[in-house]
Amino acid sequence: MSVTAADAAHAELLARGELSVRGRIREASNAALFCTIAYDGREASCVYKPVAGERPLWDFPDGTLAGREVAAYEVSEATGWGLVPPTVLREGPYGEGMCQLWIDVQAEAELLALVDAEEPEPGWKAIGLADVGEGRTALLVHADDERLRRLAVLDAVINNADRKGGHLLPAPGGRLYGIDHGVTFNVENKLRTLLWGWAGEPLTAEAVDVLKGLREGLGGPLGARLAALITPAEVEATQARVEKLLTTGVHPEPNGEWPAIPWPPV
């Protein structure tokens, strides 16, 4: 089964299956429930985040975290990169919420590291200096990995305000997923990420082609799907971000108006 076919099958399972709550994910800041889901002889694990369990955010007054999580999946699918696990909006035991396929993480080479150096070694990109205590700093770096670079482009499009290290999930088969997209799509620039290593560098030819596809989709079917999940102003802001990326031709840089790195970073 191809990646696209597998993801489509999982999305169907998530949308139509019977959801059974098995426990709560205590580390989550909002209600996040670990569940199993079964449909037509198939079963999988998933995360269910009911809207009723969301804490209001002053800077995200409109819409829901669940809606933005699903919108991020829709944009990811439109890129063809498959960077977000299959995610749907559905009814569950505690009302409407986001339901996302559970990803079993596979150990692999580090994607993030702290190094005692002024410049990153080959194969790494600098993020910035981090306070490691006792008046000491270390250089925070991330891998120069095309999967991370694609994710950096996606985050720029959806205006991700919380790309932490713990939101990066390496999966079997070499895929890398990003999760926790509840604080995205704001109309104001709130990009906060650990993936600043390409800031100011030219976008790849692949990324430019993907952005052109998003521009077309946002004016058509993709825009219509997002309109059911986020506000009209947020859809328009997404279109504007895509246009800006295509016009500048480079990865965005921190603007100094908003903390550039999320806290805690992991």
Side-chain angles (χ1 to χ4, degrees), residues 76-139:
S76 169
E77 286 299 282
T79 67
W81 287 333
L83 297 170
V84 178
T87 312
V88 303
L89 195 65
R90 57 161 291 164
E91 287 294 323
Y94 300 103
E96 185 179 61
M98 179 278 281
C99 190
Q100 185 175 82
L101 184 69
W102 180 267
I103 301 299
D104 290 319
V105 177
Q106 178 172 295
E108 64 166 33
E110 286 185 305
L111 297 173
L112 298 163
L114 278 170
V115 297
D116 187 12
E118 295 183 358
E119 297 291 337
E121 294 182 356
W124 294 87
K125 306 290 277 186
I127 303 169
L129 293 174
D131 184 355
V132 294
E134 299 181 355
R136 297 174 55 246
T137 59
L139 185 65

Side-chain angles (χ1 to χ4, degrees), residues 109-113 123-125 127 141-149 195 198:
E110 286 185 305
L111 297 173
L112 298 163
W124 294 87
K125 306 290 277 186
I127 303 169
V141 297
H142 66 67
D144 188 359
D145 186 310
E146 77 167 5
R147 299 171 303 170
L148 291 179
R149 190 165 191 172
L195 304 180
W198 297 281

Side-chain angles (χ1 to χ4, degrees), residues 158-179:
I158 66 177
N159 198 15
N160 192 353
D162 197 30
R163 176 60 71 206
K164 297 176 180 176
H167 298 167
L168 304 174
L169 304 183
R175 292 188 72 174
L176 179 70
Y177 291 102
I179 61 168

Side-chain angles (χ1 to χ4, degrees), residues 153-219:
V153 174
L154 175 66
D155 284 343
V157 170
I158 66 177
N159 198 15
N160 192 353
D162 197 30
R163 176 60 71 206
K164 297 176 180 176
H167 298 167
L168 304 174
L169 304 183
R175 292 188 72 174
L176 179 70
Y177 291 102
I179 61 168
D180 284 353
H181 297 108
V183 286
T184 50
F185 295 101
N186 203 295
V187 296
E188 298 179 9
N189 181 10
K190 291 186 178 290
L191 184 60
R192 291 195 305 176
T193 176
L194 287 177
L195 304 180
W196 287 116
W198 297 281
E201 292 187 15
L203 296 165
T204 64
E206 177 194 48
V208 171
D209 287 341
V210 164
L211 289 167
K212 289 178 179 177
L214 289 179
R215 177 171 60 188
E216 181 177 353
L218 285 165

